[in-house]
Amino acid sequence: MGYQWRHFNIVLCYVILSSGVWTWRTVLWVAIGWTVGISLGMLSCIYVATLHENDLWFSNIKEVEREISFRTECGLYYSYYKQMLRAPSIQQGLSELINDNATESKRTINLLRRMNIYQEVFLGVLYRILPIQAYLEPVYFYIYTVFSLQAVYVIALFITSWLLSGSWLAGALTGVWYILNRVDTTRVEFTISLRENWSLPFFALQIAAITCYLRPHLKPIQQKVVLWLMFLATLCFCLTWQFNQFILLVQALIFFTLDCLDLISTEQVTCLYLVQVSSLLSVWLLQFCNSMILGSLALSFIVAALFVKHFQVRPNTYRMFLLKPQGFDWFQALQLRSDEHIFKFIKSKFGLGPTRDFDASLYLCEEAFGLLPLDTFDRLAGTLLAYPYLVTLIVLLVMLADSSAVGRPPKGRCEARPICMRADVAYNLLHTVFFGLLALGTMRMKYLWTGHMCAFAAYGVCGKELWSLCLNMIHCNTKTKLRLIRYTLPLVILCFLYYKFWPKLMTEVSELREFYDPDTVELMTWISSKTPKKAVFAGSMQLLAGIKLCTGRVLTNHPHYEDRALRERTKQVYQIYAQQSPEEVHGILRAAGADFVVMEDSICYERRHGRGCRLRDLLDLANGHIMDGPGDNDPDLVHATHPRFCESIKTDGPAYTALFTRVFQNKTFHVYKLKRGKKRAKADREPVAMEDRTQ
């Protein structure tokens, strides 16, 4: 591994210096560039760490409050890191993860197969074997690792723009833009454990490796080293995020387009495909032969593309038609259901599927899965990022169209024609187009786009090709003028950004807030002290993830939604917010093995979403019931025969007290213990003090 990394550094230096003479000035200039890149990466890391500390006063709050700050699925993932640390040994910790019966009640699942939690396992093992326990708390080791990956992310973007433009000033501009557009480039400071925060830095490294690989004049040994780095980055990316297959599918489409346009050689596209295939198959093995990976559209598409490339002699324009039947037959044959909710969401989003599907509606009703808001472009324009990006995008698209019409130059040499599209530039152009379209359609996907947008726009500001084209058009293209523009313009932009945004950054990092969620703290404290350690809790996915982290209790369902059986159970458990009879709800919860159920007023009386998107509305539609409140209803909906469960249970009617006992409540949460059945001792139904109703 060390051998490969040393050679990659040599390759990078060779590529960066390949256009000039190796003089002491050149070496000094490159050394300054690396120093600037690493400094910007560290600055980004310190920046998000400071924001996280100042927003929560993380260093001063209690442990339970720290754990509650890992909201929704973040808490679920962090709980496995905590579990690895508390295990008597590393071997037993791994065994508990492979044979887990606490994440889903009445089921034993292999968490390493189901979820992408190898990073938690790795950090848990690393913390146990390193002599740092006396100096660094486990939670800080975890969050500092994630924040450090932001430094890797910025450095990878820095390298990409440097390779494209030939100037580290482009990298400096990339890093500054990434930091100033933090709202749109990352959300790591408040969603630390999200899988994307682990995977996107490796994705950026992979893009840098692809850019380096597609550069001209690389020697065979250098190509092999870069391919190894590309494989390692792709492997880490795939291993740390469950949505890797969809991202690699988009990337495979980019490779396919480059191949169809004859912008890369057969050897190059084959190697790129094989890197993807080998990474996916490696993850498939590491995840205990996860069928979701083996039957992914990405793997199906790549296999079909390789087959068409090497066994069917047809013009490039017909390749897409050949891929369609072969690419999807494999996926159809495997009869996969784990990720069918993603396809339901996509079909419903474009009006091609049922609009009442509960799983699809959960996504469609969330703002994060809607269209990219227009104010995003206002923010990007405010930092001067949008303007050079759009100009660069339009000019390069015109150049790509011209290059595609003329065809590939002899032996891949761009010198043979006045306007030529380099392969590395073409890849990054198609990358920003494809992922830009993805971000425009789904806001949550913008984090795949905006970071690379910074590197792409910086290339436009500092790149030789674009400025040479502009100077040629006005007949004044000289090396002196070209160099003057390429070095002056980024410095002017950097000075403007410093003048405008440095005071705002200083104000932002000086703002102090404090974590405050007393109701959740009270709930977690009560569960930890007043319920059996093996008690099973039912409730919303988001809350249950926190309950598992803070208390270690068993769950009926959780936010990791990539399993059909779990989705079905979640829909059933959520009937506590539907219009159902107490007998029906009790039967559902007992079938899931629940001992306690937690209901939240914020869901029962939800106002965050409009009518039709509240959770209770989604349940009513799925059950065929008319929704609450004024508004239209579909004609086939009927009135429910029972009131809403989460509201009616608070009346303590006989039908409810016969099956449920209230054991805890505050302003936000209501906890009920399930009775074994309708026939209970009379004493159980008599009023008793709240403190006594805890078992």
Side-chain angles (χ1 to χ4, degrees):
M1 182 72 71
Y3 172 85
Q4 298 293 346
W5 279 102
R6 287 196 301 272
H7 274 269
F8 175 68
N9 288 330
I10 296 173
V11 171
L12 274 181
C13 291
Y14 171 83
V15 171
I16 292 169
L17 295 171
S18 60
S19 57
V21 182
W22 287 68
T23 65
W24 68 269
R25 291 182 180 178
T26 308
V27 173
L28 178 62
W29 184 248
V30 171
I32 294 173
W34 278 108
T35 303
V36 171
I38 295 172
S39 299
L40 284 171
M42 294 302 298
L43 178 62
S44 174
C45 170
I46 295 170
Y47 177 46
V48 294
T50 303
L51 291 178
H52 175 261
E53 168 63 26
N54 291 354
D55 189 53
L56 300 173
W57 202 6
F58 199 75
S59 60
N60 197 61
I61 58 178
K62 296 183 292 186
E63 185 67 20
V64 65
E65 293 175 316
R66 290 178 177 177
E67 293 179 346
I68 291 172
S69 71
F70 288 87
R71 301 287 185 179
T72 65
E73 61 186 290
C74 297
L76 182 68
Y77 297 133
Y78 183 77
S79 71
Y80 300 124
Y81 168 70
K82 180 179 176 181
Q83 184 173 329
M84 278 296 299
L85 294 179
R86 291 191 171 185
S89 65
I90 294 175
Q91 293 78 5
Q92 187 168 338
L94 289 172
S95 177
E96 290 174 356
L97 293 177
I98 294 173
N99 302 281
D100 179 89
N101 53 16
T103 301
E104 296 177 18
S105 57
K106 304 179 73 172
R107 294 173 183 168
T108 299
I109 60 176
N110 184 343
L111 291 170
L112 295 180
R113 183 179 188 273
R114 174 80 72 82
M115 302 182 189
N116 297 71
I117 58 169
Y118 268 99
Q119 50 268 53
E120 277 75 25
V121 173
F122 174 74
L123 285 190
V125 172
L126 199 61
Y127 186 82
R128 294 179 68 127
I129 63 177
L130 291 177
I132 58 175
Q133 289 86 353
Y135 313 102
L136 192 65
E137 295 179 61
V139 65
Y140 278 108
F141 182 67
Y142 186 92
I143 65 174
Y144 285 166
T145 301
V146 179
F147 292 149
S148 298
L149 285 175
Q150 285 296 297
V152 175
Y153 196 175
V154 171
I155 292 172
L157 294 174
F158 185 98
I159 293 172
T160 300
S161 57
W162 190 354
L163 289 171
L164 288 172
S165 65
S167 170
W168 60 257
L169 285 174
L173 198 53
T174 299
V176 170
W177 266 332
Y178 181 89
I179 294 171
L180 294 182
N181 290 283
R182 174 189 56 81
V183 174
D184 297 301
T185 55
T186 183
R187 49 180 178 164
V188 66
E189 74 274 10
F190 61 90
T191 58
I192 296 175
S193 302
L194 277 190
R195 306 297 84 179
E196 67 188 50
N197 295 327
W198 287 93
S199 63
L200 290 185
F202 296 111
F203 190 50
L205 279 176
Q206 185 226 38
I207 295 169
I210 292 173
T211 303
C212 185
Y213 176 70
L214 295 179
R215 295 268 299 184
H217 314 305
L218 278 186
K219 296 178 181 179
I221 183 62
Q222 295 164 344
Q223 290 182 345
K224 291 180 181 179
V225 172
V226 174
L227 282 173
W228 268 106
L229 175 75
M230 193 189 307
F231 166 73
L232 293 174
T234 308
L235 175 64
C236 293
F237 165 71
C238 293
L239 196 61
T240 52
W241 197 12
Q242 67 269 29
F243 294 138
N244 60 76
Q245 52 172 302
F246 302 104
I247 309 305
L248 290 189
L249 174 62
V250 176
Q251 198 173 57
L253 288 171
I254 296 172
F255 299 152
F256 181 77
T257 305
L258 291 172
D259 182 30
C260 289
L261 296 177
D262 273 332
L263 292 171
I264 56 177
S265 66
T266 298
E267 180 185 358
Q268 286 177 320
V269 72
T270 301
C271 289
L272 292 171
Y273 281 145
L274 290 178
V275 165
Q276 288 190 324
V277 170
S278 56
S279 300
L280 285 171
L281 292 180
S282 299
V283 173
W284 174 68
L285 289 173
L286 288 170
Q287 289 196 291
F288 296 82
C289 303
N290 189 328
S291 60
M292 193 173 164
I293 298 173
L294 191 63
S296 66
L297 286 178
L299 199 57
S300 305
F301 180 90
I302 295 168
V303 170
L306 288 171
F307 177 84
V308 170
K309 183 70 179 175
H310 294 280
F311 296 101
Q312 297 191 27
V313 183
R314 296 287 183 88
N316 288 332
T317 52
Y318 293 101
R319 288 179 186 163
M320 185 64 76
F321 297 100
L322 293 171
L323 283 175
K324 184 176 179 180
Q326 298 173 51
F328 291 92
D329 283 349
W330 187 6
F331 179 78
Q332 300 274 347
L334 287 172
Q335 298 290 314
L336 296 179
R337 294 292 180 266
S338 295
D339 55 356
E340 65 179 357
H341 63 299
I342 302 295
F343 300 102
K344 287 181 180 179
F345 160 71
I346 295 173
K347 290 170 64 177
S348 299
K349 189 176 182 68
F350 293 101
L352 303 176
T355 56
R356 291 187 189 174
D357 182 82
F358 180 75
D359 297 326
S361 298
L362 277 179
Y363 287 99
L364 288 171
C365 286
E366 288 298 325
E367 183 182 3
F369 293 93
L371 299 177
L372 188 68
L374 294 178
D375 61 356
T376 304
F377 300 99
D378 294 333
R379 291 192 297 270
L380 297 176
T383 59
L384 302 184
L385 172 60
Y387 303 117
Y389 173 80
L390 291 175
V391 172
T392 306
L393 180 64
I394 294 171
V395 172
L396 288 181
L397 284 174
V398 172
M399 292 177 63
L400 179 64
D402 177 79
S403 298
S404 303
V406 175
R408 191 163 151 192
K411 296 183 181 181
R413 295 184 179 276
C414 279
E415 295 86 349
R417 64 172 68 151
I419 298 178
C420 180
M421 178 68 68
R422 283 177 11 216
D424 56 336
V425 175
Y427 169 78
N428 282 273
L429 171 62
L430 293 177
H431 182 99
T432 195
V433 169
F434 278 59
F435 284 98
L437 293 174
L438 187 63
L440 290 174
T442 305
M443 186 183 73
R444 187 173 179 179
M445 297 295 106
K446 72 176 181 179
Y447 301 105
L448 289 163
W449 177 50
T450 48
H452 183 265
M453 178 194 289
C454 299
F456 189 77
Y459 159 69
V461 173
C462 303
K464 296 179 182 179
E465 293 83 2
L466 296 181
W467 287 115
S468 295
L469 180 63
C470 294
L471 292 174
N472 282 332
M473 292 177 64
I474 59 177
H475 306 289
C476 62
N477 187 10
T478 64
K479 289 185 177 180
T480 303
K481 292 178 180 178
L482 179 61
R483 184 175 299 177
L484 181 65
I485 293 175
R486 290 180 61 231
Y487 290 111
T488 303
L489 187 58
L491 289 174
V492 170
I493 294 176
L494 287 170
C495 290
F496 170 80
L497 294 176
Y498 175 83
Y499 174 78
K500 182 178 179 180
F501 290 100
W502 183 256
K504 295 181 180 179
L505 285 180
M506 292 298 98
T507 302
E508 186 179 21
V509 297
S510 63
E511 291 179 353
L512 302 178
R513 301 181 182 88
E514 184 178 357
F515 176 89
Y516 184 76
D517 192 355
D519 290 347
T520 307
V521 171
E522 184 184 12
L523 173 67
M524 299 303 175
T525 304
W526 179 85
I527 292 175
S528 297
S529 60
K530 300 295 185 179
T531 64
K533 291 185 177 181
K534 296 296 183 180
V536 180
F537 278 78
S540 69
M541 296 183 290
Q542 297 80 1
L543 179 63
L544 290 184
I547 289 177
K548 175 166 176 52
L549 171 59
C550 298
T551 71
R553 300 305 188 260
V554 184
L555 313 180
T556 57
N557 52 302
H558 53 81
H560 194 274
Y561 218 47
E562 278 65 51
D563 180 75
R564 188 184 186 187
L566 176 66
R567 292 195 296 272
E568 291 293 334
R569 177 183 279 191
T570 298
K571 181 180 176 182
Q572 290 299 310
V573 170
Y574 275 8
Q575 297 301 314
I576 60 178
Y577 297 110
Q579 300 177 78
Q580 297 285 7
S581 67
E583 293 79 12
E584 179 72 17
V585 173
H586 185 271
I588 290 172
L589 296 178
R590 290 304 303 171
D595 299 312
F596 297 87
V597 58
V598 186
M599 280 174 278
E600 304 165 65
D601 286 346
S602 58
I603 298 178
C604 190
Y605 306 105
E606 182 182 0
R607 288 184 172 86
R608 185 168 67 94
H609 293 104
R611 187 175 186 269
C613 268
R614 300 169 298 189
L615 179 60
R616 63 179 186 268
D617 296 335
L618 301 183
L619 292 165
D620 289 342
L621 290 173
N623 295 337
H625 296 157
I626 292 176
M627 295 180 290
D628 291 341
D632 297 331
N633 291 281
D634 292 339
D636 60 324
L637 298 177
V638 299
H639 288 282
T641 57
H642 300 281
R644 194 163 304 282
F645 179 81
C646 63
E647 296 177 358
S648 300
I649 193 174
K650 297 173 186 176
T651 63
D652 291 332
Y656 296 91
T657 56
L659 299 171
F660 301 91
T661 301
R662 184 185 298 161
V663 291
F664 174 86
Q665 70 173 357
N666 60 23
K667 293 184 294 183
T668 304
F669 304 104
H670 302 262
V671 183
Y672 292 85
K673 182 180 179 181
L674 277 71
K675 297 181 179 179
R676 294 292 178 181
K678 292 184 178 180
K679 296 181 180 180
R680 296 285 294 178
K682 184 177 180 181
D684 287 343
R685 297 195 295 269
E686 292 178 353
V688 295
M690 185 68 67
E691 294 76 21
D692 296 332
R693 293 176 168 181
T694 57
Q695 297 302 317

